[in-house]
Amino acid sequence: MDRPDLHEIRDSQVFRSYYYLLAELTEYCKDNGLPTSGGKQEISDRIAHFIDTGEVLRPSTKRPQTNRTEKITIDSVIEPNIKCSDLHREFFKDAIGSKFTFKVAFQNWLKQNAGKTYRDAIEAYHAIMEDAKTNPTVISKQFEYNTYIRAIHADNPGMKPNDAIACWNYKKSQPGHNKYERADLAAIQK
């Protein structure tokens, strides 16, 4: 069964039972006068609402942002609504090393620990990185492809990347969830 053209769907449940790329969702929004801002989940919710009601939902309001301009020191306090800026990246690269990157777990820690110091943040970063060595990171819901590829490789060690992608392409063309199942291997079996 082929995935239905997004422009022809008249029921949000049908829409939600298939996987569409962000680019496809954005194109649909542009073609129908819907806002294209927000993440994939927000855009999908907006499209589902439009399909069912014909109403255009406006994007949610933006979160307040902190634009820190002063120099960060190890004893500076982590600001509320922290935005991981170039200033922050520069500080952490100087304090931790050139291989520093803003991992999602660390960004979440920063957002949840306003009022603590950057010294605390550095300790937390090292603890998060140490934990990541033994506990794989949780992939956010919106990254269905990454979740699928990780699961198929865990179940089929040594699988060629092209075979995993072929299984993913098969899976996303089917109605229902996009989680890996052994039945998806039918896509590469002849």
Side-chain angles (χ1 to χ4, degrees):
M1 179 172 163
D2 287 333
R3 183 178 62 140
D5 182 300
L6 182 53
H7 290 82
E8 296 174 8
I9 296 176
R10 301 291 175 250
D11 179 343
S12 66
Q13 287 184 330
V14 172
F15 162 66
R16 289 192 186 276
S17 69
Y18 289 93
Y19 179 88
Y20 292 93
L21 297 172
L22 180 58
E24 295 172 299
L25 300 176
T26 303
E27 178 186 334
Y28 179 89
C29 287
K30 288 177 183 176
D31 292 347
N32 289 283
L34 302 174
T36 59
S37 62
K40 187 173 182 183
Q41 186 61 50
E42 185 177 354
I43 292 171
S44 294
D45 292 345
R46 193 177 300 135
I47 290 172
H49 182 80
F50 179 75
I51 289 171
D52 285 345
T53 67
E55 296 174 4
V56 176
L57 288 179
R58 296 289 157 209
S60 62
T61 57
K62 290 189 175 185
R63 292 176 274 168
Q65 295 182 351
T66 301
N67 296 317
R68 185 178 199 117
T69 56
E70 74 271 5
K71 182 174 169 70
I72 301 171
T73 68
I74 201 156
D75 294 316
S76 295
V77 173
I78 299 169
E79 60 273 21
N81 304 313
I82 186 171
K83 179 181 176 189
C84 298
S85 67
D86 287 338
L87 182 66
H88 291 92
R89 184 181 318 283
E90 182 181 316
F91 168 78
F92 286 118
K93 280 193 172 195
D94 288 344
I96 294 171
S98 62
K99 293 188 178 187
F100 167 80
T101 60
F102 277 117
K103 302 286 187 188
V104 172
F106 183 57
Q107 289 181 39
N108 290 339
W109 186 93
L110 288 169
K111 290 174 185 172
Q112 295 165 3
N113 287 280
K116 291 190 177 182
T117 67
Y118 281 86
R119 181 185 314 273
D120 297 326
I122 291 167
E123 290 174 17
Y125 178 83
H126 290 300
I128 289 166
M129 297 309 290
E130 191 60 34
D131 184 59
K133 290 178 183 176
T134 56
N135 298 314
T137 57
V138 175
I139 300 173
S140 296
K141 181 183 175 193
Q142 72 265 28
F143 301 113
E144 295 170 279
Y145 170 81
N146 299 38
T147 303
Y148 185 91
I149 295 299
R150 180 187 279 178
I152 198 168
H153 281 299
D155 193 45
N156 302 280
M159 175 179 268
K160 294 178 182 173
N162 286 346
D163 288 342
I165 293 169
C167 291
W168 166 249
N169 287 333
Y170 166 77
K171 184 62 154 193
K172 72 178 186 177
S173 73
Q174 303 299 307
H177 66 80
N178 292 311
K179 293 178 176 71
Y180 166 71
E181 297 174 304
R182 285 203 165 182
D184 300 343
L185 298 173
I188 57 172
Q189 296 169 345
K190 296 178 182 174

